[in-house]
Each structure stands twice: as C-alpha cells, then as structure tokens.
Amino acid sequence: KARTLFEKNAAPILHLSGLDVTVVKTDYEGQAKKLLELMESTDLIIIAGGDGTVQEVITGLLRRADEATFSKIPIGFIPLGKTSTLSHTLYPESMNQVQHIINATLAILKGETVPLDVLQIKGEKEQPVFAMTGLRWGSYRDAAVKVSKYWYLGPLKTKAAHFFSTFKEWPQKREAALMYLGPTERPPEEPEEKRSRPPFHVRLYRRLALYWSSPPKEIPQEETQDNWEELKISTIEFSIATQNRQLDLTRTEDFMNICIEADAVGKGQFVSRGSQKMSDPQMCPEGSQCIQASKCILQLPEGTGGSFGIDNEEYEAMPVEVKLLPRKLHFFCDPRRRQQMLHVAAQ
C-alpha cells in the first residue's frame, strides 16, 4: 500500500522537479539502517514511510564515522506509515491522505528546513539507537501494542485492549532508579560567513610559520563535575520525549521532557486515559512528575522484563543512558508551518 501511494502521488512530483532521484525500496526490517551506514555523498535524503523507517534511517546515519558532516544533509519525510508522528510537526493537518503526501513532497522542493532534536539511547552492550519522538515504558504502551489484535471490535478495540490489560496483576507498577542532569542553555546561532580565499603568498607564509613554530603547550582543563539528581521511581508509565511535537524555534534552553506517571491508577481511569494516550502518546496526565533534562540514566532492577517503545518500535527493556542531541538534524518543513511556529513563539 505504501509503495502504491508513493509511486502514484510522490514519485511523479520528485521526477518532474528536475532532481536526480534514486529510489531504494527496503525489503526487510533493519535494511534502511544498513543502507544509510553505506550510503555515499548525496544532496538530500527523503524518507517515505512511517516512524519505524525514520528511526532506522537516522540510526544508520548517526552511527556513521562521518556523522558530523553527514548529519548536515537535509532530510525530507513523506508520511506513508501507520504512525507518522513527525508529519504533525512538519506539515499542516489534512483529512485526505493523498493531499497530505502531496503537501509533504512539495514542501521538500520548497527547501525550507527546521532543526529537530534527537535522542541518543544507549544500552550496556549494543550500539546506540536514535529517536526523533521518544521512549515509553509502561502499561499504556503495552496495551497500545495489542489494540490491533482486537480489530474485530471496530471502534471499541482501543478500550478493549486497555480493559483486558487490567486483568493482570494490579496495580501494574514499574520500579527503577533515575539519574538526570538539568536543561542546558542554548548557545546563540552564529551566521556562517563565507570568506574569500587569501592570496598565495599569504597562504605560503602561514604554512611556513606553522611548520617552524613549536607545538602549542597543552593547557590542562579542569574537569567539571556534573550535578546529577537522583530519584527512585514507581510508576504505571515512564516516558522521555523530545520537543519535536510542539516545536519552539525561539527557545533559549535545550531539554527533553521526562514524565513519571503516578502508580496508583484505578482500572476505569486506566481504560479512559488509555484512549486519550492513543491519540497523544506524549500526554503527561495530572498528578504526574514532569522533569526537564539534557541527559539521564535509567537503572532497572535485575530481572526486569517487558519492552520499551522507542519511536513506536519495540526494544527489550534494559538499563539505558539517554542523551539529548539538540538541533541535530534538519528536516524539510512546509513554509506555512514554520511561520505558524514563529508566530506562536512571538506571542
């Protein structure tokens, strides 16, 4: 279905634009990650898919040895998947899926970009995984994964999945230890200055001076001790989210939002709140503890089972270090959405 939507609605626009487009269709899970690790230089990358495809592409991109330069390549996103969270940030809402795809493709050609944050999530053994939206761990996430199993109940499938989840041991608590650092101040953006190349005799003099000069003495830098905050948590759901969903282009601090929900939740409240969190997974309900952090370490008790949801993809639950990479990637954005963001920030 995704392939048909792309070929009928997005591909013709890209080819007519005059771009030299190479289309690669992935055949199995994890292939996009490998492709990005091997990709040679390109002017831009376009991801046509859902949250899972986006996560694979950015993980492959940021695992590269030359990620510092490769991450400056602008990225386009054409929403074709079941969940396409970034499309809410980058493009105006549209009730028609075909129109939404066309708007996204045209936005790429218009060339406007916005900087988006990335989460680097690192376990004890494996290579880091990178996320654009966030990490979820808890009962609401587990119930949301099972909603599709109750497809035969139609509009009641969401409530059914959360209702049957309450048959397990109750209350469903997740216990862990959390260490975190507070927000970091955003440095001012410096405009890039294009300098003209100096004359040959100046370049020659500089090279000779550099060659004959003695190596500079290394000045020992004082190690700064980070002020880590420590917290024992007991929660029905724990989540870490970027601010990409509600982007503020003028904010002066960089941080990710940590939400620790209360562990005492009634079964009826769990079912009704579960439906709300299906439409807004980053919702932090009243009574939750909300923390702004630039880096955190989540330690799980030995023998903890279950799974994390990282950008709607399932990963085994394990102790992790989560670090915010502020404004790491630039995504193409509809100019109207960019103006809306700036207008809201100005108000």
Side-chain angles (χ1 to χ4, degrees):
K1 185 180 176 182
R3 183 177 182 175
T4 304
L5 285 169
F6 175 78
E7 290 179 349
K8 283 189 174 181
N9 305 297
I13 298 172
L14 293 174
H15 290 299
L16 285 168
S17 69
L19 294 175
D20 181 10
V21 183
T22 302
V23 180
V24 181
K25 178 182 173 293
T26 55
D27 297 311
Y28 56 88
E29 191 175 336
Q31 187 181 9
K33 207 179 296 178
K34 292 180 181 178
L35 287 169
L36 263 291
E37 289 174 0
L38 301 170
M39 182 181 282
E40 295 179 3
S41 61
T42 181
D43 295 314
L44 62 94
I45 298 164
I46 298 173
I47 306 165
D51 287 352
T53 315
V54 172
Q55 195 221 53
E56 279 194 31
V57 168
I58 66 160
T59 295
L61 189 156
L62 294 175
R63 282 181 181 175
R64 293 173 63 103
D66 61 347
E67 63 85 15
T69 53
F70 217 81
S71 61
K72 293 177 182 175
I73 297 170
I75 300 172
F77 176 52
I78 299 174
L80 302 176
K82 193 180 293 182
T83 54
S84 302
T85 309
L86 279 184
S87 65
H88 301 291
T89 300
L90 302 174
Y91 314 119
E93 293 295 332
S94 176
M95 298 300 291
N96 185 326
Q97 188 184 20
V98 170
Q99 187 62 51
H100 201 51
I101 293 168
I102 291 170
N103 287 342
T105 311
L106 291 172
I108 293 168
L109 302 179
K110 289 172 184 174
E112 291 266 357
T113 62
V114 288
L116 297 184
D117 296 343
V118 177
L119 295 183
Q120 176 185 285
I121 303 166
K122 193 171 184 180
E124 293 175 336
K125 298 176 183 177
E126 298 179 1
Q127 286 184 290
V129 170
F130 297 88
M132 299 300 301
T133 306
L135 177 150
R136 290 178 69 195
W137 175 50
S139 300
Y140 291 110
R141 188 218 75 89
D142 292 348
V145 170
K146 295 176 182 175
V147 168
S148 59
K149 292 183 179 179
Y150 300 99
W151 59 269
Y152 50 86
L153 293 175
L156 296 175
K157 61 185 178 183
T158 300
K159 288 193 180 293
H162 288 83
F163 174 70
F164 288 121
S165 292
T166 62
F167 289 2
K168 299 177 184 176
E169 184 183 349
W170 196 267
Q172 297 173 13
K173 296 181 183 179
R174 305 291 195 281
E175 295 185 345
L178 179 70
M179 295 173 63
Y180 65 92
L181 293 173
T184 56
E185 194 172 337
R186 170 172 290 183
E189 289 190 37
E190 296 180 3
E192 294 183 6
E193 294 182 7
K194 292 185 179 180
R195 298 179 182 177
S196 58
R197 198 178 187 196
F200 174 74
H201 67 275
V202 176
R203 301 200 307 272
L204 181 63
Y205 170 77
R206 286 178 182 173
R207 287 201 177 189
L208 289 172
L210 188 64
Y211 179 77
W212 292 110
S213 62
S214 57
K217 292 181 180 179
E218 290 187 8
I219 302 170
Q221 294 182 349
E222 294 184 9
E223 291 186 6
T224 58
Q225 290 188 342
D226 293 326
N227 298 317
W228 289 90
E229 299 280 347
E230 296 187 33
L231 194 64
K232 295 284 185 184
I233 62 174
S234 176
T235 177
I236 193 167
E237 180 144 300
F238 172 87
S239 64
I240 305 172
T242 63
Q243 297 185 75
N244 292 338
R245 185 76 185 259
Q246 294 177 325
L247 199 58
D248 181 359
L249 299 176
T250 61
R251 68 178 188 264
T252 56
E253 287 187 324
D254 290 314
F255 56 84
M256 51 192 177
N257 294 310
I258 299 175
C259 178
I260 305 166
E261 298 189 33
D263 58 4
V265 178
K267 294 185 177 183
Q269 190 180 28
F270 177 80
V271 174
S272 61
R273 189 174 287 168
S275 299
Q276 294 172 354
K277 286 177 79 71
M278 285 294 292
S279 57
D280 184 10
Q282 294 183 19
M283 180 185 77
C284 205
E286 190 178 344
S288 305
Q289 186 173 357
C290 300
I291 298 169
Q292 295 177 344
S294 58
K295 187 177 182 181
C296 72
I297 297 171
L298 183 67
Q299 293 287 354
L300 307 186
E302 197 170 333
T304 300
S307 300
F308 290 149
I310 301 177
D311 280 8
N312 293 311
E313 294 294 301
E314 197 161 290
Y315 289 82
E316 179 188 352
M318 63 177 73
V320 289
E321 176 191 274
V322 183
K323 182 181 178 183
L324 180 73
L325 306 178
R327 299 180 295 172
K328 183 65 177 175
L329 299 173
H330 284 76
F331 275 73
F332 288 105
C333 171
D334 190 294
R336 291 171 292 174
R337 284 290 295 132
R338 184 182 172 86
Q339 286 301 318
Q340 284 174 8
M341 292 176 206
L342 292 170
H343 181 67
V344 170
Q347 288 180 335

